[in-house]
Amino acid sequence: MSIIRKSKSIEAREPSRSEISLLAPSGKPKYFFNGSVPHSVFYALPRELSCLSVPFIKALRDMFPRGRGLGLIERESEDYLVYEVVLDNNDDCIVALDTPVSLIISGRDYVLPAYHAIAPSLELVKVHLSNISITDFDILKTRLLETFSFYGTVLDIVLYEDDVTNTWFTGNGHVYLSRKKAHYEHRDPPSVYLTGTNNSSNMVFTIWSKE
């Protein structure tokens, strides 16, 4: 008798709309959290699945034994149990990001990916974009990357698609930046011209928020 297991990937802040990353090779948007130490990653467990917390923590220890996994910090939010896993070095952070934690509970697979932690010396900024010119994604990637690199390190560029077919670009999106905390607020403009353009049709409206 064969047993068919259902698999569920547990993602933080799953969007209701379709989103495409222009920087991730898979096209799947990345998520980021502010870390409290230089080397750490985050996992987000939905509250309705809090029963998975014990096997999850045990699986983490199997993946990162003493000496590699240095500490576990639990943070609570309205919708998630968020775990910051403190690791020994950046190589282990890369291992965590590339290797989701897999659990089998009552015949069902659960996959929990790790998320990037931003160094405590930096701040994480999400720039909401609207009025993005409709053009080829490769061209947009180059222009947005060059434009927002002036304000910090560009971590990801995400574009939104329509809610009906999930295939039409809507002219909206967001950019994740990391930058020094001493960054001056007045450098965050309400609109920017994309690099390589100088007309109003290529003006992008921005809303800046610290994550």
Side-chain angles (χ1 to χ4, degrees):
M1 178 180 178
S2 62
I3 299 176
I4 300 176
R5 293 202 302 260
K6 296 181 178 180
S7 178
K8 180 177 177 62
S9 179
I10 302 172
E11 305 284 346
R13 298 173 289 177
E14 293 183 352
S16 57
R17 60 179 170 260
S18 176
E19 300 184 352
I20 296 178
S21 168
L22 298 186
L23 298 188
S26 65
K28 192 173 185 178
K30 303 174 183 179
Y31 295 100
F32 303 90
F33 293 85
N34 278 306
S36 59
V37 295
H39 303 302
S40 67
V41 296
F42 282 84
Y43 295 85
L45 188 63
R47 285 198 168 276
E48 64 268 21
L49 295 176
S50 60
C51 58
L52 300 180
S53 59
V54 171
F56 165 69
I57 292 173
K58 290 181 177 179
L60 274 179
R61 177 50 80 194
D62 291 339
M63 182 181 294
F64 299 106
R66 289 183 182 275
R68 294 179 64 193
L70 305 182
L72 184 67
I73 303 171
E74 183 175 334
R75 304 179 182 181
E76 294 192 5
S77 68
E78 183 177 349
D79 300 317
Y80 293 94
L81 297 176
V82 179
Y83 297 93
E84 182 180 7
V85 181
V86 181
L87 300 171
D88 181 55
N89 53 60
N90 190 59
D91 288 342
D92 278 334
C93 292
I94 294 173
V95 170
L97 292 168
D98 290 341
T99 312
V101 175
S102 296
L103 303 174
I104 302 175
I105 308 294
S106 300
R108 186 168 188 175
D109 292 348
Y110 294 89
V111 180
L112 293 94
Y115 297 106
H116 300 258
I118 303 304
S121 60
L122 302 174
E123 66 180 8
L124 176 63
V125 179
K126 185 176 184 180
V127 188
H128 304 267
L129 309 176
S130 59
N131 196 50
I132 306 172
S133 58
I134 308 295
T135 189
D136 179 80
F137 278 6
D138 287 337
I139 294 175
L140 275 181
K141 174 183 174 180
T142 299
R143 289 179 175 175
L144 289 168
L145 191 59
E146 291 179 354
T147 299
F148 286 96
S149 291
F150 175 76
Y151 302 97
T153 299
V154 178
L155 303 174
D156 201 9
I157 300 171
V158 178
L159 302 182
Y160 304 159
E161 295 186 320
D162 73 291
D163 297 331
V164 178
T165 67
N166 294 330
T167 59
W168 294 99
F169 175 42
T170 63
N172 301 310
H174 68 258
V175 171
Y176 270 119
L177 302 174
S178 65
R179 64 188 185 187
K180 294 181 180 180
K181 291 183 177 179
H183 184 91
Y184 293 105
E185 295 293 339
H186 68 261
R187 291 182 61 191
D188 297 341
S191 63
V192 296
Y193 286 104
L194 295 184
T195 299
T197 65
N198 58 3
N199 57 70
S200 60
S201 64
N202 288 290
M203 177 184 288
V204 177
F205 299 112
T206 60
I207 298 176
W208 304 68
S209 63
K210 297 178 182 179
E211 295 291 287

